[in-house]
């Protein structure tokens, strides 16, 4: 990408969209690609009702879970806990050198944080019942892009392992 193509944020959004539409990602992670495509389709609609927000969050959570399942299989516990499963998997990889291990541990920590945000969206009604503020468009957009980026980076980091 070139600077004249827009701001850094616009370039990042463009790169994420290209990844989402790539045949390689869809082939390697069909479930995640489907869920991310559905979440982004809803994101760009002009609706911000609780049902749409909840559905976006559900798709984002499932994309992350599917990506982890594709990468490490069913080992390490419940599919509902992809970050914990990643951490368990990383801990079992004796051949990882220190810096690579740190990066993968950082990705697992990011996956945990992203999953909490996606969970907030998925359970927006419960959040509102507990006097939490409704998510802004920026928060929903950020959840979508960071989830997509996390799925992609996990995919790239764990290729061939």
């Amino acid at each position: 990408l070139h600077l004249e193509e827009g701001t850094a944020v616009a370039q990042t959004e463009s790169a994420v969209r290209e990844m989402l539409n790539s045949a390689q990602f869809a082939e390697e992670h069909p479930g995640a690609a489907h869920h991310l495509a559905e979440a982004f389709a809803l994101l760009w609609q002009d609706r911000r009702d609780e049902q749409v927000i909840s559905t976006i969050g559900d798709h984002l959570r499932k994309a992350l879970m599917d990506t982890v399942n594709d990468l490490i299989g069913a080992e390490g516990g419940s599919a509902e806990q992809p970050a914990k499963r990643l951490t368990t998997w990383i801990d079992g990889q004796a051949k990882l050198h220190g810096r690579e291990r740190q990066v993968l541990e950082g990705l697992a920590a990011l996956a945990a944080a992203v999953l909490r945000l996606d969970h907030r969206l998925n359970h927006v009604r419960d959040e509102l019942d507990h006097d939490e503020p409704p998510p802004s468009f920026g928060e929903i957009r950020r959840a979508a892009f960071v989830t997509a980026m996390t799925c992609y980076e996990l995919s790239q980091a764990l290729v061939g392992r």
Side-chain angles (χ1 to χ4, degrees), residues 61-137:
R61 287 178 60 242
K62 288 177 179 173
L64 193 51
M65 288 186 271
D66 286 353
T67 300
V68 171
N69 283 341
D70 292 344
L71 294 170
I72 65 173
E75 64 187 73
S78 168
E80 294 282 323
Q81 298 178 332
K84 182 178 179 182
R85 291 178 60 227
L86 277 171
T87 300
T88 300
W89 183 85
I90 292 165
D91 289 346
Q93 302 303 305
K95 292 183 181 182
L96 286 175
H97 62 81
R99 291 181 188 145
E100 181 69 3
R101 180 176 298 280
Q102 288 176 336
V103 168
L104 291 175
E105 289 169 346
L107 279 171
L110 178 60
V114 167
L115 193 61
R116 284 190 298 276
L117 181 55
D118 296 344
H119 187 270
R120 169 174 153 68
L121 299 181
N122 189 203
H123 297 282
V124 67
R125 289 179 198 95
D126 294 337
E127 295 276 317
L128 296 173
D129 287 346
H130 289 97
D131 296 325
E132 291 293 328
S136 66
F137 175 74

Side-chain angles (χ1 to χ4, degrees), residues 24-95:
Q24 178 183 355
F25 187 80
E27 183 177 310
E28 292 172 0
H29 307 288
H34 164 76
H35 287 298
L36 289 170
E38 292 293 318
F40 274 87
L42 289 170
L43 177 69
W44 300 128
Q45 288 183 2
D46 204 18
R47 293 179 46 206
R48 299 287 173 260
D49 57 84
E50 293 171 7
Q51 182 58 50
V52 168
I53 293 169
S54 178
T55 302
I56 290 170
D58 184 54
H59 281 300
L60 295 175
R61 287 178 60 242
K62 288 177 179 173
L64 193 51
M65 288 186 271
D66 286 353
T67 300
V68 171
N69 283 341
D70 292 344
L71 294 170
I72 65 173
E75 64 187 73
S78 168
E80 294 282 323
Q81 298 178 332
K84 182 178 179 182
R85 291 178 60 227
L86 277 171
T87 300
T88 300
W89 183 85
I90 292 165
D91 289 346
Q93 302 303 305
K95 292 183 181 182

